[in-house]
Amino acid sequence: MTAASPHIQSLKRAGYRLTQARLTVLRVLEDERGHITSADVLAQVERVNPAIGRASVFRTLELFTQLGIIRPTYISSVTPTYVLMRDGHHHHVVCTACKRFFEFDDCGLEALTNNLQATLGVSISGHLLEFYGICADCGAPDAEGQT
Amino acid sequence: MTAASPHIQSLKRAGYRLTQARLTVLRVLEDERGHITSADVLAQVERVNPAIGRASVFRTLELFTQLGIIRPTYISSVTPTYVLMRDGHHHHVVCTACKRFFEFDDCGLEALTNNLQATLGVSISGHLLEFYGICADCGAPDAEGQT
DNA sequence: ATTTATGCAAAACTTTTGCATGGGA
DNA sequence: TCCCATGCAAAAGTTTTGCATAAAT
């Protein structure tokens, strides 16, 4: 009954109730290891617990975004892809051809973060770093874009 | 009538035609200095040239995204905010409270980019770096609320 | 016992098609 | 001239309300 996820902690710390809808959405997000479209969250939640309404899923996604638990990004299509912000940050490389992504941990942005906080007077809580490119599998066979 | 913007160059280099719709959308994007929602692009284009249809605006935004000229991101709301990718990259800090953003140029990600290309075998063409935080105006030096 | 959060289903929007026609190269 | 790209308007989706009720704390 104790909240295992640190995300649940921030939820309660912010004064929100831990409901079935929120717990289910969080589990779906964590099961997908942090990359999932809103449409898929909707589908998974319905599969796991059909009693949960779509509206609650969207309301939860918005709440989680506000709390910095997740971040919507556009990998492809209209539907946003949500990434889990572990420790407030997330980094990946997206193949613009096949839309696959490759996460990586070390971003070395601590210095820049501190620098920006000092320079702009902003209190930074997290970041998203997204690289775009063509993965090895999609690799350019044509000779057009030489870098 | 030569294309001044380097973005127009990449458009033509990729074999696409320089049409009124595309030129107008690009101008709107550049006028807004690189941060504008799809809804605002739509509105601005209609204002500048009512003859251009909504569908073409969306088709153009998608094309520009594919070409790496712009990148959709979620600053707030359902509507994506498009950022201009000058030289393929873009960096900013977003205040999660007032949604204002602060661009900055130096990201120091060259080493990481090379490292990722070598490690993952990906050919990287650009990146988006987004910091989240509370700006000086929104962040009360005093703990609680405003007022 | 209090409120907050939910579910439902329709309403509100945003984005996408299909196709004949106009406009670039 | 030859096609690509457009415009139109309806269709297809996705996300958001409003409100009575359920359920966390």
Side-chain angles (χ1 to χ4, degrees):
Chain A
M1 73 182 289
T2 312
S5 168
H7 296 313
I8 291 181
Q9 302 304 329
S10 42
L11 184 74
K12 308 199 80 166
R13 206 180 312 118
Y16 293 100
R17 293 180 180 173
L18 181 54
T19 65
Q20 279 308 306
R22 290 169 181 167
L23 196 58
T24 304
V25 169
L26 183 59
R27 279 182 180 155
V28 165
L29 288 166
E30 289 181 333
D31 282 356
E32 292 299 311
R33 298 181 48 240
H35 279 80
I36 183 170
T37 63
S38 54
D40 281 341
V41 172
L42 227 39
Q44 295 265 34
V45 168
E46 177 146 39
R47 198 165 57 86
V48 173
N49 187 347
I52 295 171
R54 305 118 203 81
S56 293
V57 173
F58 282 109
R59 284 187 277 233
T60 298
L61 288 172
E62 188 180 314
L63 176 62
F64 283 5
T65 300
Q66 277 180 42
L67 293 173
I69 293 174
I70 55 177
R71 203 80 212 177
T73 130
Y74 278 106
I75 300 299
S76 72
S77 89
V78 209
T79 337
T81 295
Y82 289 92
V83 300
L84 257 182
M85 302 292 270
R86 306 181 204 278
D87 291 316
H89 48 111
H90 183 95
H91 329 100
H92 61 208
V93 180
V94 186
C95 175
T96 53
C98 65
K99 312 299 181 192
R100 266 187 302 177
F101 51 83
F102 308 87
E103 287 186 41
F104 59 92
D105 290 325
D106 190 23
C107 61
L109 288 171
E110 296 77 17
L112 178 55
T113 302
N114 293 331
N115 191 356
L116 288 169
Q117 293 195 121
T119 310
L120 302 173
V122 199
S123 171
I124 292 175
S125 56
H127 67 252
L128 173 67
L129 172 56
E130 214 166 52
F131 283 94
Y132 311 110
I134 301 294
C135 75
D137 288 353
C138 292
D142 61 44
E144 287 283 282
Q146 63 284 64
T147 309
Chain B
M1 202 51 186
T2 314
S5 169
H7 295 312
I8 292 181
Q9 302 305 329
S10 42
L11 184 74
K12 308 198 80 166
R13 205 180 314 119
Y16 294 99
R17 293 179 180 172
L18 181 54
T19 66
Q20 278 308 305
R22 289 168 181 167
L23 195 58
T24 304
V25 170
L26 183 59
R27 278 181 181 155
V28 166
L29 287 166
E30 287 180 334
D31 281 356
E32 292 299 312
R33 299 180 49 240
H35 280 79
I36 184 170
T37 63
S38 55
D40 281 339
V41 172
L42 227 39
Q44 295 266 32
V45 167
E46 176 146 40
R47 200 166 55 87
V48 173
N49 187 347
I52 295 172
R54 305 123 204 77
S56 293
V57 173
F58 282 108
R59 283 187 276 234
T60 299
L61 288 173
E62 188 181 314
L63 176 63
F64 284 5
T65 301
Q66 278 180 41
L67 293 173
I69 294 173
I70 56 177
R71 204 79 212 178
T73 128
Y74 276 104
I75 300 298
S76 71
S77 89
V78 209
T79 337
T81 295
Y82 289 92
V83 300
L84 257 182
M85 303 290 272
R86 305 181 205 280
D87 291 316
H89 47 111
H90 183 95
H91 329 99
H92 61 207
V93 181
V94 186
C95 174
T96 53
C98 66
K99 311 298 182 192
R100 267 186 301 177
F101 51 83
F102 309 86
E103 286 186 42
F104 60 92
D105 290 325
D106 190 24
C107 61
L109 288 171
E110 297 77 17
L112 179 55
T113 302
N114 293 331
N115 191 356
L116 287 169
Q117 292 195 122
T119 309
L120 301 173
V122 197
S123 170
I124 292 175
S125 56
H127 66 252
L128 173 67
L129 172 57
E130 213 166 52
F131 283 94
Y132 311 109
I134 302 294
C135 74
D137 288 353
C138 293
D142 210 16
E144 296 300 276
Q146 61 263 62
T147 312

